Amino acid sequence: MHVVMIGGSDAGISAALRARELDPAADVTVVLEDAYPNFSICGIPYYVSGEVAHWRNLAHRTLADLEAAGMRLRTDTTARRIDVPGRKLLVTTADGGEEVLGYDKLVVGTGAVPVRPPIGGLAGPDALGPADGVHLLHSMGDTFAVMRTLEQAAPASAVIVGAGYIGLEMADALTVRGLRVTQMEQLGEVLPTVDPQLGTLVHAELAAHGVEVLTGTTVQAISTASPGGPGRLQVKAVTADATSVTRQADMVLVVVGVRPETALAADAGATLGVKGAIVVDPMMRTGLPDIFAAGDCVITHHRLLGQVYLPLGTTAHKQGRVAGENVLGGNRQFAGSLGTQVVKIFDQAAARTGLREHEATPAGYAPVTTETTADDHKAYYPGSHRITVRVTGDQATGQLLGMQLFGHKNAEIAKRVDIAATAIYHGMTVDAVSDLDLSYTPPLGSPWDAVQMAAQAWVRQTHPR
Ligand SMILES: Cc1cc2nc3c(=O)[nH]c(=O)nc-3n(C[C@H](O)[C@H](O)[C@H](O)COP(=O)(O)OP(=O)(O)OC[C@H]3O[C@@H](n4cnc5c(N)ncnc54)[C@H](O)[C@@H]3O)c2cc1C
């Protein structure tokens, strides 16, 4: 049995590892178009900031580790065409040569590519690019280009287009490196994946660290600035009330989201669904014979919403593992996502899981959200921090639908959102969160954890006795 994975990132490598784990005799080949298998692209901001000293440290596993696990890695090799009836994959190698690889089962893990928004200066024959200090950011190749700009052009300032989680992490990273950062976001508040009430707190943290945050500001054009100004690039934007905004900076980073990379699978006949991602069933089968797909290139089953496009590393790992099991005849199903995520912004963290009101209402729920603040541990023990917790529950049934948290990076925000994720996964009511037997000692927690206090406040406010 020869299993071929296309893509050497979270999904492809997870599938390969699982297949090898289940059957040490399985013949597994991973085809990847660059030379960086199993790199943690989630860690890129921390390499850019200098907190991770060397790019090699971003590898989840080294090439040698992966080979020791028994997989064959075809680096610098691009999959070009899938011959579905012939079970063959046409690839091109680094020297431009063509080769045909036979397969019994195939896993497509081609991931996502960064969106290039319709901003003047980003497209066409005269488009600005890395050599001019204008960057998109997704791959290790993009990272090396950013580092070249930082090290060779020594920029003093940067404009970041987009204030999603990657834009925020990069604002943090570039500020830590000593750049003056302006962040431009077309929506009304930063980190639009959380409610604006928490986005405002994130905004304040950025501002407290010197980031100029311009929300409600749509970037229209990037161009080369006239010499003698405060930066080599000029960014023109317009605010919601049609006021023009211009900033000059030495570097521009455009991070406005990703789209699934599906050309290969679509050409082979795979069905595309929401946001153009590959449709898969819970076993990660594409519907094409012997072809599975996983990660940022596929639709994701959301436990409360059904089919969505939700590109996340955690999900890519899980889906890849499911695919890796099923290519060997397994019967594993991807259990579904809740969109659980967390981001560090300087000294604070923001997290969410499940649904916000505008997502829950169209899904047929009657969502109500309450906001509470509580200490991460007993305030009499030094170093306690206030956490803001927003709980969304269904007014009709009391079901916990979502939770969002904001607080100090040492206040266990990530693990607290995971309590909520676990509760939502198991369909618990908000009230039942109070029954969970959570740990307590004054330096680390409270008899009622912050999450439980927030749940109790939701019950008090929505179901008064
Ligand atoms: C800066 C940054 C920070 C992030 N932080 C987080 C985080 O904190 N938490 C989180 O959950 N997620 C995070 N993510 C998202 C996460 O990294 C992705 O969801 C995850 O890497 C997706 O894995 P994947 O294997 O599906 O796709 P990708 O990582 O996109 O990998 C696909 C691979 O396939 C290769 N490929 C594509 N087409 C071909 C072809 N035809 N032939 C050969 N190879 C091909 C590509 O070169 C690429 O290496 C972050 C992403 C970035 C960029």
Side-chain angles (χ1 to χ4, degrees), residues 353-440:
T353 186
L355 306 182
R356 291 164 57 203
E357 288 192 9
H358 72 282
E359 296 157 334
T361 304
Y365 296 104
V368 184
T369 302
T370 59
E371 183 172 308
T372 309
T373 57
D375 295 316
D376 69 324
H377 64 250
K378 289 307 298 176
Y380 59 74
Y381 185 87
S384 77
H385 300 285
R386 298 293 283 175
I387 302 177
T388 304
V389 188
R390 290 178 67 79
V391 175
T392 302
D394 183 49
Q395 173 92 68
T397 62
Q399 184 184 350
L400 177 63
L401 297 175
M403 194 177 287
Q404 303 165 62
L405 295 100
F406 176 87
H408 192 270
K409 65 181 178 185
N410 296 337
E412 307 284 10
I413 297 299
K415 291 305 130 192
R416 287 194 156 101
V417 83
D418 291 346
I419 296 171
T422 309
I424 298 170
Y425 184 101
H426 289 288
M428 288 173 61
T429 62
V430 180
D431 194 24
V433 171
S434 281
D435 297 333
L436 291 172
D437 179 24
L438 304 180
S439 61
Y440 163 55

Side-chain angles (χ1 to χ4, degrees), residues 292-373:
F292 296 70
D296 281 7
C297 60
V298 304
I299 56 132
T300 287
H301 170 66
H302 190 291
R303 291 179 70 85
L304 302 177
L305 294 177
Q307 288 189 1
V308 295
Y309 181 60
L310 198 43
L312 283 171
T314 43
T315 308
H317 275 91
K318 291 188 191 79
Q319 292 175 335
R321 188 176 162 87
V322 168
E325 186 158 335
N326 292 340
V327 289
L328 296 186
N331 192 27
R332 189 92 183 180
Q333 300 211 348
F334 174 62
S337 166
L338 289 169
T340 310
Q341 50 198 286
V342 62
V343 56
K344 179 190 88 67
I345 314 100
F346 294 104
D347 296 328
Q348 305 291 322
R352 67 163 287 183
T353 186
L355 306 182
R356 291 164 57 203
E357 288 192 9
H358 72 282
E359 296 157 334
T361 304
Y365 296 104
V368 184
T369 302
T370 59
E371 183 172 308
T372 309
T373 57

